[in-house]
C-alpha cells in the first residue's frame, strides 16, 4: 500500500480542491491574518506573504512526500478564488487514519464551504485511499467548527482537557494565549451513510501547520 498521498484535484459542484501553488500566496496570507483564524489556530501572527510562500513551496510538498499529510487549496469552481484550506496531518498509514483540519476565508463564510470541502475530502479518503478513520479536533468554545463536524457525520469521542491553546486579543491589541479543551471527533466510512450536502463553516486545530 502507498505511504504518500497522490497529487490530485477533487471537484464538487461549487468547489475545486487542488494543490496549493504560488498564485495563492497573497490570498493565503490575507486569509491567515483574519481575527478568527488567529483566535482558533496556531498560525503565526502576523502571517506574511513570505510565510505563505514557505508553506506552499516547502512545508506542504514535504508533508506529502514524507507521508505525513496533504494540503488542499479550496477554490470556487466558477471564479477560482481561494475559499480556504483543507489539511490532512498526523497520518498513520498502518492504521489508515489521518487528522483533518480546515480554515475558510472571511469573505466565504456562511456558504457551507467548510463542510462541503471536508465531506468530499472524507469521501475521497474512504473510497480512493481506503482510509478507515478521520479525526477532527475542535476548541471547546469553537461552536462553528463543531457544527461542521456534526454536519458531516462525525461522532464526538470525548474531551482532551486543557489540551488546546487558543488566543484572545489583549487591550493593547496583542494576542494572549488562552488554554482550553479539545473536543475529539471521529468519522468512519459507515458514518457517511445518508450524509448529503452540508452548509456550515468553521476552524479546526491546525496545530502542526508549521
Amino acid at each position: 500500500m502507498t505511504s504518500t498521498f497522490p497529487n490530485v484535484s477533487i471537484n464538487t459542484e461549487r468547489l475545486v480542491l487542488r494543490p496549493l501553488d504560488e498564485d495563492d500566496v497573497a490570498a493565503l496570507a490575507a486569509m491567515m491574518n483574519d481575527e478568527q483564524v488567529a483566535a482558533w489556530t496556531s498560525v503565526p501572527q502576523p502571517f506574511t506573504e513570505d510565510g505563505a510562500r514557505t508553506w506552499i513551496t516547502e512545508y506542504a510538498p514535504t508533508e506529502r512526500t514524507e507521508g505525513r499529510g496533504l494540503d488542499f487549496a479550496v477554490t470556487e469552481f466558477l471564479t477560482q478564488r481561494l475559499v480556504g484550506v483543507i489539511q490532512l496531518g498526523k497520518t498513520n498509514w498502518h492504521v489508515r487514519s489521518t487528522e483533518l483540519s480546515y480554515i475558510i476565508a472571511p469573505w466565504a463564510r456562511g456558504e457551507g464551504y467548510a463542510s462541503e470541502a471536508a465531506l468530499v475530502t472524507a469521501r475521497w479518503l474512504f473510497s480512493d485511499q481506503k482510509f478507515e478513520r478521520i479525526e477532527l479536533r475542535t476548541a471547546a468554545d469553537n461552536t462553528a467548527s463543531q457544527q461542521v463536524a456534526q454536519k458531516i457525520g462525525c461522532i464526538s469521542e470525548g474531551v482532551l482537557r486543557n489540551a488546546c491553546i487558543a488566543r484572545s486579543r489583549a487591550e493593547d491589541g496583542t494576542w494572549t494565549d488562552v488554554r482550553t479543551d479539545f473536543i475529539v471527533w471521529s468519522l468512519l466510512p459507515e458514518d457517511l451513510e445518508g450524509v448529503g450536502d452540508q452548509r456550515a463553516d468553521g476552524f479546526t486545530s491546525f496545530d502542526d501547520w508549521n
Side-chain angles (χ1 to χ4, degrees), residues 96-172:
R96 307 303 287 187
S97 69
T98 192
E99 184 174 321
L100 187 150
S101 304
Y102 39 80
I103 289 178
I104 299 297
W107 66 268
R109 292 173 196 154
E111 299 296 330
Y113 287 143
S115 52
E116 184 174 336
L119 186 57
V120 73
T121 302
R123 286 176 171 155
W124 172 74
L125 283 167
F126 291 146
S127 60
D128 288 19
Q129 299 299 299
K130 308 305 179 187
F131 270 58
E132 296 293 337
R133 174 183 168 87
I134 297 170
E135 185 172 303
L136 288 77
R137 297 187 180 195
T138 62
D141 294 327
N142 190 350
T143 56
S145 189
Q146 292 161 31
Q147 289 173 0
V148 174
Q150 292 169 336
K151 286 179 180 293
I152 67 172
C154 292
I155 303 300
S156 176
E157 293 186 331
V159 176
L160 298 178
R161 297 185 301 160
N162 216 29
C164 174
I165 295 181
R167 289 182 283 205
S168 65
R169 279 282 194 189
E171 291 184 1
D172 63 0

Side-chain angles (χ1 to χ4, degrees), residues 32-43 45 166-167 175:
M32 293 301 165
N33 281 307
D34 172 66
E35 291 276 323
Q36 291 190 46
V37 174
W40 294 119
T41 77
S42 61
V43 173
Q45 296 295 321
R167 289 182 283 205
W175 289 100

Side-chain angles (χ1 to χ4, degrees), residues 52-88:
R53 188 171 290 104
T54 298
W55 182 351
I56 291 167
T57 62
E58 298 179 22
Y59 169 75
T62 300
E63 288 293 287
R64 189 186 74 80
T65 58
E66 295 190 0
R68 290 189 293 268
L70 183 68
D71 289 17
F72 281 120
V74 182
T75 63
E76 282 189 320
F77 180 78
L78 292 177
T79 67
Q80 300 183 30
R81 191 175 181 186
L82 186 68
V83 165
V85 177
I86 289 277
Q87 185 179 71
L88 304 176

